[in-house]
Amino acid sequence: MPAQAHQTRVPGEAWHDALWHSSPPGSIYDYIKVASFSIGPDGLIDQWSLRAQELFGLSADRTVGRDPVEAFMPPELRDGGHRKVAEILDGNEWTGLVPFRIPGGDGRHGVAEIYVMPTETETAERAALCVVVDVRALRRIESDLAASQAIFGQSPFGFLLFGTDLTVRRANRRFATVFGGTAEEHRGRTVHDYLAPHEADRMTDALRRVLETGVSVTDLQITGAAPGSREHRHWSINLYRVHGGTGRPIGVAGLGTDVTRRHLAAREAAGVRRNLALLNEAGHRIGNSLDLETTARELLDVTVPGFCDLAAVDLYQGLLLGDDDRPARPQGPGVPTLPDQGAARVPSAELRRVAFSSAVSDAPLWGPLVAVGEVHRYPAASPAALALRTARPRLIEGGGPEDLVQSTLVVPMVAHDTVVGLAQFSRTKGSEPFGERDRAVAVELAARAAVCIDNARLYRREHERALILQRSLLPPGDPEAAGLDIACRYLPGNAATEVGGDWFDVIELPGHRTALVVGDVMGRGLRAAVAMGELRTAVRTLALLDLEPAEVLTALDEVARGLGARGGTSPSRARGGAEDLAEVYLATCVYAVYDPVTRRCTIANAGHMPPVLVENGEPALMLEVPPGMPLGVGGEPFEEVEVELPEGALLALYTDGLVESRDHPLEEGLRGLREALADPVRPLEDVCDHVLATLDTRHGEDDIALLMARVQGLPREAVGDWQLPREARSVGRARELARTQLPAWGLEDLLDTTELLVSELVTNALRYGQGEIRMRLLLDRTLVCEVWDANLAQPRRRRARDTDEGGRGLQLVGLLSAGWGTRRTHRGKTVWFELPLPGVAAEPASELSAEELLKLYG
């Protein structure tokens, strides 16, 4: 029994403690402000509470012992008040509204609701207990409750009221509609009952922070799904702390708004902005290089990681090798979606992977592993092969559980209705899968890159052809010249620049003279290379006419203007203005003729860089040659200067690519060239290398042509020079001089032929020429005989008839010599012939039979 009594006593104590526990401020009574007073048997107030004092504004010493009707009610209502008090004291309860004067002395009246309960005193006398409530406070509470219920219950947004223990105290119908059940069923739940653990922890932290600090939280983004739904939703949560009547925190109110549509629209807008920015970036970054591989890498630099996590570019092997025969040639909208059965059995042509990029380590693309630079084929039925054949993109979704890639776009790269390769874009698990808008962006990116790659392909083909053409027109091997040591260099621009029109040439002229030519066609590309080839051919043709340098440039200027006229601009229009000049082939050129016997060099310049001359022990200097106008301008004569070159002197001709660069002005480049040539004694090949290394020609902005010649001259003993009087015995004198000179040179084998040909040339000079006759024999790599006279009329070879007494001399010269010709001089003309030295292969004319020789003379 004691134990049982003990067990019943403990709950009683708990109830007792809870009953007598002091209620905290903020209870309903603080809002209603209930007051009380009592009326004794005599109808006078005998007790007055503090709340009554506060409500009526009268203290106990002013009310106790007074008639309540007289104390509180206005005079016109006192008669009815006295009757009601009498009824109450007779034992009747009464509840009603009683007007009273509001404290403050301003005469305002209020209305109080009074509940009067009859009581008895210790002596069984009738008394009354009055409970008073201010009607104004009741009406205010009623309106507040109505407004609160309207806002809370009728709100279109989810509304929760959390208690201080962060459990749900109240939920509105909208919240219950989304998360199921009735509003009452959500009481006592926590946010973990609605959200995933991670999001629930975020929400709990926010609730606790608002409850502790009172700082509201606005637009807290929470994601989750309603019960029984897999649809991913987004909510915007606003939290604020709720206070009681005395300001004490009693919980946290939460207002949730479904912003899924807004989130999707914002994400859509962000995706559009991102794609526009991506396409804009692609327009700036793709195609800056005319290199196939570089353009492919530029595409991946733009797309990874901004558009995808992994990407690769495959180009047709034939395209990279310069073969235009690619198997996929779509014809636009009419291309079938699927290939026919025959095509389905054919695997794709060979492709080479030219670029790969990944923002994720060790994540391969869809399909077989292919290394950069590897040549491969896609299986016939693979999405990649189908994309190549149909020129349509393919989307590959998902993969195995161990695959990192979840979505891949296989996009053919189409340029000018021709597939040039394939681009693959992949996103790994955790990234958003590709959508239709992504497909459109990928097609646009691949198309832009394809056009740039096709342009690079066309440029590469033109560049290679122009380079082949240009190199084929340059002198083969190391040029040789009488009395000159020659060294040359040609450096084409790098792959990023087009081929220019630079050229140089070394042309052998009669009399062991040599023409040195350096030129540069303005402009770049295949047309410039073709124009260079035509001008070079024209120079060689004009050089064979043995014209003076100024005359060569004058004729070459007409050729250049003719090239422009053939392209649609006449020379007359070319002189009309700068706009017309842009259509003309313009070129610069320097043409120099060196005579090893006199060691004199005649130079003419058409707008080109001046030659540099370096003499032993002297600083390098620019030769003052009148620059003239570029070829193709016309209208201005060219001038020439004659310079004597001492033995061992060095002459350098070059194009502007050697001295001109964006990194420094032209004057600095010319000064650097002169300084690099300060030591001309070293071997000529070393001098060339030193010049190129010193001037740092690796910039590759332009082609570079460098032609250097060191003067050696013909030794005196290799020259025989005689004056012959204008008389018949000079023919015999010429033969005698030849018989004397040739044995001294060890050329007895050439004696008979030389005597015969010398006789013919001197005889022609006597018969058709004027003034004194001069004969010269020159020995170098060949034997040359020259005969001068003062008559400007040049002989020509003709076929003599059987009845003619003459006209066979030049025929004989042509048959027995390796070459012959004539040229004008300042005081007449020169006729010459050339014989190969013994041991050197000769023309078939040296095997002329006696019968053929007799036929010349009938």
Side-chain angles (χ1 to χ4, degrees):
M1 290 300 294
Q4 191 174 19
H6 176 74
Q7 291 176 354
T8 57
R9 184 165 48 86
V10 173
E13 290 180 356
W15 177 82
H16 183 273
D17 293 340
L19 180 63
W20 294 105
H21 186 271
S22 176
S23 298
S27 65
I28 187 65
Y29 301 104
D30 292 324
Y31 291 97
I32 299 177
K33 297 184 178 179
V34 178
S36 66
F37 63 92
S38 62
I39 301 175
D42 55 1
L44 302 179
I45 299 172
D46 60 0
Q47 288 184 353
W48 189 253
S49 67
L50 294 178
R51 281 290 180 89
Q53 178 178 327
E54 179 182 345
L55 176 62
F56 294 105
L58 298 174
S59 59
D61 59 350
R62 296 177 58 187
T63 57
V64 174
R66 294 187 61 186
D67 184 352
V69 176
E70 297 292 335
F72 306 123
M73 298 184 71
E76 64 273 13
L77 299 178
R78 289 174 183 173
D79 291 340
H82 286 297
R83 288 195 300 270
K84 289 294 181 184
V85 171
E87 293 176 359
I88 293 169
L89 292 177
D90 288 339
N92 296 323
E93 292 186 359
W94 180 78
T95 301
L97 299 178
V98 177
F100 67 93
R101 289 188 297 271
I102 297 176
D106 54 2
R108 289 184 302 147
H109 288 77
V111 177
E113 185 176 72
I114 299 180
Y115 176 47
V116 182
M117 295 174 288
T119 61
E120 290 182 354
T121 63
E122 296 176 353
T123 60
E125 292 180 293
R126 300 295 183 111
L129 175 63
C130 302
V131 178
V132 184
V133 178
D134 190 348
V135 175
R136 293 175 304 167
L138 287 176
R139 298 295 179 264
R140 187 165 57 248
I141 292 174
E142 289 176 355
S143 61
D144 289 346
L145 286 174
S148 175
Q149 182 61 31
I151 295 174
F152 194 85
Q154 301 174 21
S155 173
F157 310 112
F159 208 111
L160 289 177
L161 180 62
F162 294 91
T164 55
D165 57 353
L166 303 185
T167 60
V168 176
R169 295 293 180 88
R170 188 177 180 186
N172 70 344
R173 287 194 301 271
R174 176 58 182 169
F175 183 85
T177 301
V178 175
F179 286 91
T182 64
E184 290 297 325
E185 292 176 350
H186 292 276
R187 292 181 180 273
R189 295 183 181 180
T190 67
V191 292
H192 285 82
D193 296 319
Y194 306 107
L195 301 175
H198 174 70
E199 292 292 270
D201 291 342
R202 289 181 58 229
M203 182 75 172
T204 301
D205 291 340
L207 288 169
R208 185 175 294 110
R209 187 166 59 252
V210 171
L211 186 62
E212 292 175 354
T213 64
V215 178
S216 301
V217 171
T218 59
D219 197 23
L220 174 64
Q221 295 294 317
I222 296 295
T223 60
S229 173
R230 294 184 178 180
E231 185 179 2
H232 202 66
R233 310 299 295 178
H234 296 263
W235 292 286
S236 173
I237 306 297
N238 297 311
L239 302 174
Y240 58 93
R241 192 167 68 182
V242 179
H243 301 84
T246 59
R248 180 180 63 87
I250 62 174
V252 177
L255 180 66
T257 306
D258 191 335
V259 294
T260 304
R261 291 185 178 181
R262 187 179 73 185
H263 179 81
L264 293 177
R267 189 174 65 179
E268 190 84 359
V272 171
R273 288 194 299 270
R274 182 181 67 250
N275 291 339
L276 290 176
L278 187 70
L279 294 176
N280 182 61
E281 183 182 8
H284 286 88
R285 296 181 60 181
I286 299 177
N288 294 322
S289 170
L290 288 173
D291 180 76
L292 297 173
E293 291 82 358
T294 301
T295 303
R297 287 193 295 271
E298 289 170 346
L299 171 63
L300 302 193
D301 291 341
V302 170
T303 55
V304 179
F307 179 72
C308 61
D309 300 316
L310 303 96
V313 174
D314 298 326
L315 298 180
Y316 277 114
Q317 178 73 346
L319 177 95
L320 297 170
L321 298 178
D323 181 11
D324 285 341
D325 188 18
R326 279 154 283 158
R329 294 180 182 274
Q331 300 299 323
V335 177
T337 304
L338 292 174
D340 57 22
Q341 293 181 354
R345 293 193 297 268
V346 180
S348 69
E350 286 189 340
L351 297 105
R352 184 194 305 172
R353 179 146 297 174
V354 296
F356 173 78
S357 181
S358 172
V360 182
S361 60
D362 301 330
L365 285 166
W366 166 88
L369 294 176
V370 179
V372 174
E374 182 178 346
V375 177
H376 65 102
R377 293 176 183 266
Y378 285 106
S382 66
L386 295 176
L388 288 171
R389 281 198 294 270
T390 63
R392 294 176 182 244
R394 300 276 171 164
L395 178 61
I396 306 170
E397 293 285 1
E402 298 181 357
D403 293 340
L404 292 178
V405 174
Q406 70 157 344
S407 182
T408 297
L409 276 172
V410 180
V411 184
M413 305 178 70
V414 183
H416 308 119
D417 292 334
T418 301
V419 177
V420 299
L422 189 75
Q424 296 185 54
F425 308 102
S426 295
R427 289 179 179 174
T428 58
K429 293 180 179 178
S431 299
E432 184 178 357
F434 288 115
E436 285 301 319
R437 180 173 287 105
D438 295 321
R439 182 195 295 256
V441 171
V443 170
E444 176 66 20
L445 290 171
R448 292 192 182 192
V451 171
C452 295
I453 286 175
D454 198 52
N455 291 339
R457 174 187 66 84
L458 295 175
Y459 166 75
R460 174 182 286 186
R461 183 178 65 181
E462 179 175 334
H463 185 275
E464 291 175 351
R465 291 178 179 178
L467 195 59
I468 292 173
L469 173 62
Q470 189 175 43
R471 287 176 172 171
S472 67
L473 296 175
L474 295 175
D478 296 326
E480 296 181 356
L484 291 176
D485 182 14
I486 302 290
C488 53
R489 294 289 187 275
Y490 172 73
L491 299 178
N494 57 35
T497 60
E498 294 186 271
V499 172
D502 294 16
W503 91 91
F504 67 91
D505 209 345
V506 178
I507 307 172
E508 293 187 44
L509 300 178
H512 291 311
R513 293 171 305 128
T514 303
L516 304 176
V517 189
V518 171
D520 184 4
V521 176
M522 298 182 186
R524 310 195 65 79
L526 187 59
R527 295 185 64 193
V530 171
M532 177 272 288
E534 293 181 315
L535 292 178
R536 177 183 179 273
T537 302
V539 169
R540 280 193 160 267
T541 302
L542 295 170
L544 294 178
L545 299 177
D546 214 350
L547 301 176
E548 296 295 326
E551 295 176 338
V552 170
L553 294 185
T554 300
L556 200 61
D557 177 64
E558 292 295 330
V559 172
R561 289 196 290 160
L563 294 176
R566 188 176 61 197
T569 302
S570 64
S572 60
R573 284 186 59 199
R575 291 190 291 269
E579 183 177 354
D580 293 330
L581 284 177
E583 302 177 22
V584 181
Y585 285 93
L586 299 180
T588 62
C589 180
V590 60
Y591 185 89
V593 175
Y594 171 69
D595 188 340
V597 178
T598 62
R599 293 189 178 88
R600 302 187 69 83
C601 186
T602 306
I603 307 173
N605 190 356
H608 201 78
M609 293 289 172
V612 178
L613 178 63
V614 186
E615 300 182 17
N616 292 333
E618 299 292 336
L621 60 93
M622 300 285 177
L623 293 180
E624 295 183 0
V625 182
M629 298 297 291
L631 302 175
V633 175
E636 294 293 332
F638 296 99
E639 301 180 42
E640 59 186 39
V641 296
E642 191 174 60
V643 180
E644 184 171 353
L645 304 179
E647 186 75 17
L650 187 146
L651 184 67
L653 285 71
Y654 52 94
T655 56
D656 56 0
L658 181 67
V659 295
E660 196 171 30
S661 173
R662 289 191 293 262
D663 299 333
H664 57 73
L666 177 61
E667 289 299 325
E668 182 178 336
L670 293 174
R671 183 171 61 253
L673 175 60
R674 292 196 300 270
E675 293 173 355
L677 294 172
D679 183 16
V681 180
R682 68 177 72 182
L684 199 57
E685 295 290 338
D686 294 345
V687 175
C688 281
D689 294 337
H690 176 69
V691 168
L692 297 178
T694 302
L695 295 182
D696 189 17
T697 56
R698 292 170 295 179
H699 52 74
E701 298 170 5
D702 196 2
D703 295 356
I704 295 173
L706 175 62
L707 178 61
M708 304 186 72
R710 176 172 287 138
V711 176
Q712 295 176 343
L714 287 181
R716 289 180 177 273
E717 58 273 14
V719 179
D721 195 349
W722 304 277
Q723 296 285 341
L724 299 175
R726 189 170 188 78
E727 52 188 38
R729 61 191 181 118
S730 293
V731 176
R733 175 60 179 164
R735 287 198 299 268
E736 181 182 351
L737 292 172
R739 282 196 306 269
T740 303
Q741 185 64 57
L742 263 61
W745 288 340
L747 300 179
E748 291 83 354
D749 294 343
L750 299 180
L751 188 56
D752 294 338
T753 303
T754 303
E755 278 191 74
L756 179 58
L757 299 183
V758 165
S759 298
E760 291 295 336
L761 293 189
V762 174
T763 300
N764 277 340
L766 288 173
R767 181 175 296 181
Y768 305 108
Q770 297 177 1
E772 285 190 341
I773 299 171
R774 180 183 175 189
M775 186 181 75
R776 190 166 70 174
L777 292 175
L778 305 175
L779 175 64
D780 192 65
R781 291 170 297 162
T782 60
L783 176 66
V784 175
C785 176
E786 298 176 329
V787 175
W788 280 269
D789 69 75
N791 191 355
L792 293 176
Q794 294 182 331
R796 62 183 180 88
R797 182 177 178 178
R798 65 183 177 85
R799 181 173 296 276
R801 293 172 294 183
D802 294 343
T803 58
D804 290 343
E805 296 182 358
R808 297 176 179 84
L810 292 181
Q811 283 185 269
L812 184 64
V813 173
L815 288 171
L816 296 180
S817 66
W820 77 279
T822 179
R823 70 176 184 274
R824 290 183 178 180
T825 64
H826 295 294
R827 291 176 294 180
K829 69 174 180 298
T830 299
V831 183
W832 57 271
F833 70 84
E834 185 177 24
L835 294 175
L837 300 182
V840 179
E843 294 293 329
S846 62
E847 300 178 0
L848 185 66
S849 64
E851 290 78 6
E852 291 173 326
L853 184 59
L854 291 175
K855 286 182 180 180
L856 295 174
Y857 297 94

